[in-house]
Protein backbone atom coordinates (compact mmCIF):
# COMPACT_ATOMS: atom_id res chain seq x y z
CA UNK A 1 0.00 0.00 0.00
CA UNK A 2 2.70 2.47 1.15
CA UNK A 3 4.94 1.51 -1.77
CA UNK A 4 2.04 1.67 -4.25
CA UNK A 5 1.38 5.22 -3.11
CA UNK A 6 5.05 6.10 -3.58
CA UNK A 7 5.05 4.72 -7.10
CA UNK A 8 1.89 6.72 -7.90
CA UNK A 9 3.53 9.87 -6.53
CA UNK A 10 6.64 9.33 -8.64
CA UNK A 11 4.48 8.72 -11.70
CA UNK A 12 2.46 11.88 -10.96
CA UNK A 13 5.70 13.87 -10.92
CA UNK A 14 6.80 12.32 -14.22
CA UNK A 15 3.42 13.16 -15.76
CA UNK A 16 3.31 16.76 -14.57
CA UNK A 17 6.92 17.93 -14.78
CA UNK A 18 8.26 18.16 -18.32
CA UNK A 19 11.80 18.26 -16.86
CA UNK A 20 11.52 14.85 -15.12
CA UNK A 21 13.10 12.04 -17.15
CA UNK A 22 12.98 8.86 -15.08
CA UNK A 23 11.56 7.39 -11.87
CA UNK A 24 15.08 7.17 -10.48
CA UNK A 25 15.64 10.87 -11.12
CA UNK A 26 12.40 11.72 -9.29
CA UNK A 27 13.27 9.44 -6.37
CA UNK A 28 16.75 10.97 -6.02
CA UNK A 29 16.38 14.62 -7.00
CA UNK A 30 12.87 15.86 -6.19
CA UNK A 31 12.51 17.58 -2.80
CA UNK A 32 8.71 17.48 -3.14
CA UNK A 33 8.85 13.69 -3.23
CA UNK A 34 11.24 13.54 -0.27
CA UNK A 35 9.02 15.90 1.72
CA UNK A 36 6.10 13.52 1.16
CA UNK A 37 8.15 10.59 2.47
CA UNK A 38 8.95 12.51 5.64
CA UNK A 39 5.35 13.62 5.95
CA UNK A 40 3.82 10.15 5.56
CA UNK A 41 5.97 8.91 8.44
CA UNK A 42 5.52 12.04 10.57
CA UNK A 43 1.73 11.91 10.07
CA UNK A 44 1.68 8.22 11.03
CA UNK A 45 3.40 9.10 14.32
CA UNK A 46 1.21 12.17 14.88
CA UNK A 47 -2.00 10.14 14.46
CA UNK A 48 -0.75 7.65 17.08
CA UNK A 49 -0.19 10.53 19.48
CA UNK A 50 3.61 10.40 19.17
CA UNK A 51 3.26 14.10 18.66
CA UNK A 52 6.79 15.26 19.45
CA UNK A 53 8.36 12.50 17.33
CA UNK A 54 6.08 13.46 14.43
CA UNK A 55 6.93 17.12 14.85
CA UNK A 56 10.66 16.41 15.05
CA UNK A 57 10.58 14.27 11.93
CA UNK A 58 8.72 16.98 10.04
CA UNK A 59 11.36 19.47 11.21
CA UNK A 60 14.12 17.24 9.79
CA UNK A 61 12.13 17.03 6.55
CA UNK A 62 11.96 20.81 6.48
CA UNK A 63 15.74 21.12 6.99
CA UNK A 64 16.45 18.67 4.18
CA UNK A 65 13.86 19.83 1.64
CA UNK A 66 12.91 23.43 2.49
CA UNK A 67 9.27 22.31 2.57
CA UNK A 68 7.42 22.61 5.87
CA UNK A 69 4.48 20.26 6.28
CA UNK A 70 2.90 20.04 9.72
CA UNK A 71 2.50 16.36 10.66
CA UNK A 72 -1.19 16.97 11.40
CA UNK A 73 -1.93 18.00 7.79
CA UNK A 74 -3.98 15.49 5.74
CA UNK A 75 -2.62 14.91 2.25
CA UNK A 76 -4.32 12.86 -0.46
CA UNK A 77 -2.74 10.81 -3.21
CA UNK A 78 -0.39 11.95 -5.95
CA UNK A 79 0.46 15.39 -4.57
CA UNK A 80 3.20 17.00 -6.67
CA UNK A 81 5.22 19.77 -5.04
CA UNK A 82 7.43 21.26 -7.75
CA UNK A 83 10.73 22.85 -6.63
CA UNK A 84 9.25 23.03 -3.17
CA UNK A 85 11.46 25.55 -1.41
CA UNK A 86 9.39 27.75 0.89
CA UNK A 87 6.17 25.72 0.78
CA UNK A 88 4.30 25.80 4.11
CA UNK A 89 1.35 23.52 4.84
CA UNK A 90 -0.38 24.16 8.16
CA UNK A 91 -1.62 21.77 10.81
CA UNK A 92 -5.29 21.66 9.83
CA UNK A 93 -4.77 21.91 6.08
CA UNK A 94 -6.31 19.15 3.95
CA UNK A 95 -5.27 18.35 0.38
CA UNK A 96 -7.29 16.18 -2.00
CA UNK A 97 -5.91 13.83 -4.65
CA UNK A 98 -3.88 14.94 -7.69
CA UNK A 99 -3.03 18.44 -6.48
CA UNK A 100 0.01 20.45 -7.60
CA UNK A 101 1.83 23.09 -5.55
CA UNK A 102 4.76 25.17 -6.75
CA UNK A 103 7.45 26.70 -4.57
CA UNK A 104 6.59 29.39 -2.04
CA UNK A 105 2.96 28.34 -1.59
CA UNK A 106 1.43 28.82 1.85
CA UNK A 107 -1.65 26.93 3.01
CA UNK A 108 -1.88 28.94 6.19
CA UNK A 109 -4.06 30.45 8.87
CA UNK A 110 -5.12 34.09 8.64
CA UNK A 111 -4.25 35.33 12.10
CA UNK A 112 -3.72 33.65 15.46
CA UNK A 113 -6.75 35.41 16.95
CA UNK A 114 -9.02 33.90 14.27
CA UNK A 115 -8.35 30.31 15.29
CA UNK A 116 -7.80 28.64 18.60
CA UNK A 117 -5.58 25.61 19.14
CA UNK A 118 -7.13 22.47 17.68
CA UNK A 119 -9.66 24.39 15.55
CA UNK A 120 -9.63 24.32 11.77
CA UNK A 121 -7.49 27.30 10.68
CA UNK A 122 -6.09 26.26 7.31
CA UNK A 123 -7.61 25.68 3.86
CA UNK A 124 -8.99 22.46 2.41
CA UNK A 125 -8.06 21.76 -1.21
CA UNK A 126 -10.36 19.62 -3.34
CA UNK A 127 -9.05 17.22 -5.99
CA UNK A 128 -6.88 18.36 -8.90
CA UNK A 129 -6.15 21.84 -7.53
CA UNK A 130 -3.12 23.74 -8.95
CA UNK A 131 -1.52 26.50 -6.89
CA UNK A 132 1.10 28.69 -8.57
CA UNK A 133 4.39 29.76 -7.07
CA UNK A 134 4.27 32.19 -4.16
CA UNK A 135 0.48 32.03 -3.81
CA UNK A 136 -0.89 32.51 -0.30
CA UNK A 137 -4.11 30.66 0.56
CA UNK A 138 -5.06 31.74 4.04
CA UNK A 139 -8.01 30.64 6.16
CA UNK A 140 -10.26 27.67 6.89
CA UNK A 141 -12.20 27.60 3.62
CA UNK A 142 -12.49 25.22 0.69
CA UNK A 143 -10.73 25.50 -2.65
CA UNK A 144 -12.96 23.54 -5.02
CA UNK A 145 -12.07 20.58 -7.24
CA UNK A 146 -10.05 21.58 -10.31
CA UNK A 147 -9.56 25.17 -9.11
CA UNK A 148 -6.38 27.04 -10.08
CA UNK A 149 -4.69 29.76 -8.09
CA UNK A 150 -2.36 31.97 -10.15
CA UNK A 151 1.26 32.50 -9.15
CA UNK A 152 1.57 35.32 -6.60
CA UNK A 153 -2.14 35.40 -5.70
CA UNK A 154 -3.52 35.93 -2.22
CA UNK A 155 -6.76 34.06 -1.59
CA UNK A 156 -8.75 34.69 1.56
CA UNK A 157 -12.13 33.13 0.82
CA UNK A 158 -13.82 30.06 -0.65
CA UNK A 159 -13.00 29.16 -4.27
CA UNK A 160 -15.74 27.34 -6.23
CA UNK A 161 -14.99 24.17 -8.24
CA UNK A 162 -13.09 24.73 -11.48
CA UNK A 163 -12.51 28.45 -10.99
CA UNK A 164 -9.18 30.24 -11.63
CA UNK A 165 -8.22 32.97 -9.15
CA UNK A 166 -5.47 35.50 -9.93
CA UNK A 167 -4.03 38.60 -8.34
CA UNK A 168 -3.18 39.81 -4.88
CA UNK A 169 -6.84 40.46 -4.10
CA UNK A 170 -7.63 37.31 -6.03
CA UNK A 171 -10.71 37.41 -8.25
CA UNK A 172 -12.31 34.88 -10.60
CA UNK A 173 -11.36 35.05 -14.28
CA UNK A 174 -12.66 32.95 -17.19
CA UNK A 175 -10.13 30.38 -18.43
CA UNK A 176 -8.76 30.75 -21.92
CA UNK A 177 -10.74 28.53 -24.27
CA UNK A 178 -13.57 28.05 -21.75
CA UNK A 179 -15.92 30.18 -23.85
CA UNK A 180 -15.14 27.95 -26.84
CA UNK A 181 -16.06 24.87 -24.76
CA UNK A 182 -12.52 23.43 -24.85
CA UNK A 183 -11.63 20.81 -22.24
CA UNK A 184 -9.20 22.20 -19.63
CA UNK A 185 -5.85 20.43 -20.00
CA UNK A 186 -3.12 20.26 -17.38
CA UNK A 187 -0.45 22.79 -18.34
CA UNK A 188 2.40 22.48 -15.89
CA UNK A 189 3.96 25.82 -16.70
CA UNK A 190 0.68 27.31 -17.84
CA UNK A 191 1.85 30.87 -17.27
CA UNK A 192 2.04 33.22 -20.22
CA UNK A 193 5.38 35.12 -20.15
CA UNK A 194 3.65 38.21 -21.52
CA UNK A 195 0.77 38.32 -19.07
CA UNK A 196 -0.45 41.91 -18.86
CA UNK A 197 -1.20 42.89 -15.30
CA UNK A 198 -5.03 43.02 -15.18
CA UNK A 199 -5.00 45.97 -12.73
CA UNK A 200 -2.55 47.98 -14.87
CA UNK A 201 -4.74 47.21 -17.87
CA UNK A 202 -7.86 48.55 -16.08
CA UNK A 203 -5.97 51.71 -15.06
CA UNK A 204 -4.77 52.27 -18.63
CA UNK A 205 -8.34 51.94 -19.90
CA UNK A 206 -9.46 54.52 -17.31
CA UNK A 207 -6.67 56.93 -18.33
CA UNK A 208 -7.69 56.57 -22.00
CA UNK A 209 -11.28 57.36 -21.07
CA UNK A 210 -10.24 60.44 -19.04
CA UNK A 211 -8.17 61.74 -21.99
CA UNK A 212 -11.10 61.18 -24.36
CA UNK A 213 -13.51 63.00 -22.00
CA UNK A 214 -11.09 65.93 -21.57
CA UNK A 215 -10.83 66.35 -25.34
CA UNK A 216 -14.62 66.23 -25.67
CA UNK A 217 -15.05 68.80 -22.88
CA UNK A 218 -12.54 71.16 -24.50
CA UNK A 219 -14.40 70.85 -27.79
CA UNK A 220 -17.77 71.63 -26.17
CA UNK A 221 -16.29 74.62 -24.31
CA UNK A 222 -14.88 75.89 -27.58
CA UNK A 223 -18.29 75.67 -29.20
CA UNK A 224 -19.87 77.39 -26.20
CA UNK A 225 -17.30 80.22 -26.27
CA UNK A 226 -17.79 80.73 -29.99
CA UNK A 227 -21.56 80.90 -29.48
CA UNK A 228 -21.44 83.30 -26.50
CA UNK A 229 -18.40 85.28 -27.77
CA UNK A 230 -20.26 86.44 -30.92
CA UNK A 231 -23.23 87.58 -28.73
CA UNK A 232 -21.28 89.79 -26.25
CA UNK A 233 -19.13 91.54 -28.87
CA UNK A 234 -15.72 90.15 -27.76
CA UNK A 235 -12.92 90.86 -30.20
CA UNK A 236 -11.54 88.10 -32.43
CA UNK A 237 -8.04 88.15 -30.77
CA UNK A 238 -9.44 87.97 -27.23
CA UNK A 239 -11.72 85.10 -28.18
CA UNK A 240 -8.82 83.17 -29.71
CA UNK A 241 -6.77 83.63 -26.52
CA UNK A 242 -9.64 82.36 -24.35
CA UNK A 243 -10.14 79.37 -26.63
CA UNK A 244 -6.52 78.32 -26.59
CA UNK A 245 -6.23 78.71 -22.79
CA UNK A 246 -9.43 76.62 -22.34
CA UNK A 247 -8.24 73.80 -24.57
CA UNK A 248 -4.92 73.51 -22.68
C1 LIG B 1 -3.37 30.54 -13.04
C2 LIG B 1 -2.70 29.55 -13.96
C3 LIG B 1 -2.67 28.16 -13.30
C4 LIG B 1 -3.42 29.47 -15.29
O1 LIG B 1 -4.77 29.14 -15.10
P1 LIG B 1 -5.80 29.17 -16.30
O2 LIG B 1 -7.12 28.87 -15.74
O3 LIG B 1 -5.28 28.28 -17.38
O4 LIG B 1 -5.76 30.70 -16.72
P2 LIG B 1 -5.30 31.36 -18.08
O5 LIG B 1 -3.87 31.09 -18.36
O6 LIG B 1 -6.30 30.99 -19.11
O7 LIG B 1 -5.46 32.92 -17.72
C5 LIG B 1 -6.72 33.52 -17.44
C6 LIG B 1 -6.47 34.99 -17.20
O8 LIG B 1 -5.76 35.18 -15.96
C7 LIG B 1 -4.54 35.89 -16.19
N1 LIG B 1 -3.53 35.28 -15.31
C8 LIG B 1 -3.12 33.99 -15.31
N2 LIG B 1 -2.23 33.79 -14.33
C9 LIG B 1 -2.06 34.97 -13.70
C10 LIG B 1 -1.27 35.39 -12.58
N3 LIG B 1 -0.48 34.52 -11.94
N4 LIG B 1 -1.36 36.68 -12.19
C11 LIG B 1 -2.17 37.57 -12.84
N5 LIG B 1 -2.95 37.22 -13.91
C12 LIG B 1 -2.89 35.94 -14.32
C13 LIG B 1 -4.22 35.66 -17.67
O9 LIG B 1 -3.46 36.72 -18.20
C14 LIG B 1 -5.60 35.64 -18.25
O10 LIG B 1 -6.08 36.97 -18.34
P3 LIG B 1 -6.72 37.50 -19.73
O11 LIG B 1 -7.79 36.52 -20.06
O12 LIG B 1 -7.22 38.84 -19.33
O13 LIG B 1 -5.60 37.48 -20.68
C15 LIG B 1 -1.29 30.00 -14.34
O14 LIG B 1 -1.33 31.27 -14.97
C16 LIG B 1 -0.35 30.06 -13.16
O15 LIG B 1 -0.26 31.03 -12.44
N6 LIG B 1 0.38 28.89 -13.04
C17 LIG B 1 1.37 28.73 -12.04
C18 LIG B 1 2.68 28.48 -12.72
C19 LIG B 1 3.84 28.55 -11.75
O16 LIG B 1 3.72 28.80 -10.57
N7 LIG B 1 4.97 28.27 -12.31
C20 LIG B 1 6.17 28.21 -11.56
C21 LIG B 1 7.05 27.25 -12.27
S1 LIG B 1 8.66 27.30 -11.66
Amino acid sequence: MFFNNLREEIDATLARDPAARSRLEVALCYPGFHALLYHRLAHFLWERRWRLCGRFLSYIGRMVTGIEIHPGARIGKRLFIDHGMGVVIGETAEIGDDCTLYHGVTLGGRAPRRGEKGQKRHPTLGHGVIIGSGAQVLGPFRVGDGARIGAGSVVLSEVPDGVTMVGPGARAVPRRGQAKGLEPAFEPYGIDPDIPDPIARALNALLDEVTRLKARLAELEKQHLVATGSGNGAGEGEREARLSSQSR
Side-chain angles (χ1 to χ4, degrees), residues 53-77:
C53 290
R55 200 77 169 88
F56 188 64
L57 198 58
S58 106
Y59 176 62
I60 294 176
R62 178 187 182 279
M63 282 200 294
V64 173
T65 64
I67 297 169
E68 180 166 334
I69 309 179
H70 192 285
R74 295 176 178 280
I75 295 183
K77 293 179 186 163

Side-chain angles (χ1 to χ4, degrees), residues 83 102-103 132-133 148 150-151 164 166 175-176 189-190 195 201:
H83 309 293
Y102 290 96
H103 52 283
S133 50
R148 295 171 175 207
T164 298
V166 300
R175 277 187 194 169
R176 281 194 196 114
Y189 290 88
I195 283 177
R201 223 167 31 180

Side-chain angles (χ1 to χ4, degrees), residues 126-209:
H127 301 305
V129 173
I130 301 173
I131 307 193
S133 50
Q136 309 295 305
V137 185
L138 308 176
F141 52 82
R142 187 168 184 279
V143 177
D145 294 346
R148 295 171 175 207
I149 312 291
S153 304
V154 179
V155 181
L156 303 174
S157 58
E158 179 111 7
V159 179
D161 289 355
V163 163
T164 298
M165 307 287 285
V166 300
R171 68 199 163 79
V173 291
R175 277 187 194 169
R176 281 194 196 114
Q178 199 171 42
K180 296 179 202 151
L182 299 179
E183 272 296 300
F186 177 77
E187 293 152 2
Y189 290 88
I191 196 155
D192 180 346
D194 299 314
I195 283 177
D197 178 346
I199 295 171
R201 223 167 31 180
L203 283 176
N204 282 337
L206 279 176
L207 285 175
D208 288 348
E209 187 64 9

Side-chain angles (χ1 to χ4, degrees), residues 5 8-10 12-13 16 32-33 35-36 39-40 67 69 74-82 87 89 95-102 107 125 129:
N5 286 349
E8 282 189 354
E9 264 141 23
I10 291 176
T13 303
R16 286 179 239 168
F33 175 65
L36 282 179
H39 176 71
R40 300 285 182 221
I67 297 169
I69 309 179
R74 295 176 178 280
I75 295 183
K77 293 179 186 163
R78 299 174 295 276
L79 172 65
F80 171 42
I81 304 178
D82 200 4
V87 167
I89 300 176
I95 299 180
D97 297 338
D98 300 304
C99 291
T100 303
L101 310 181
Y102 290 96
L107 303 181
L125 308 189
V129 173

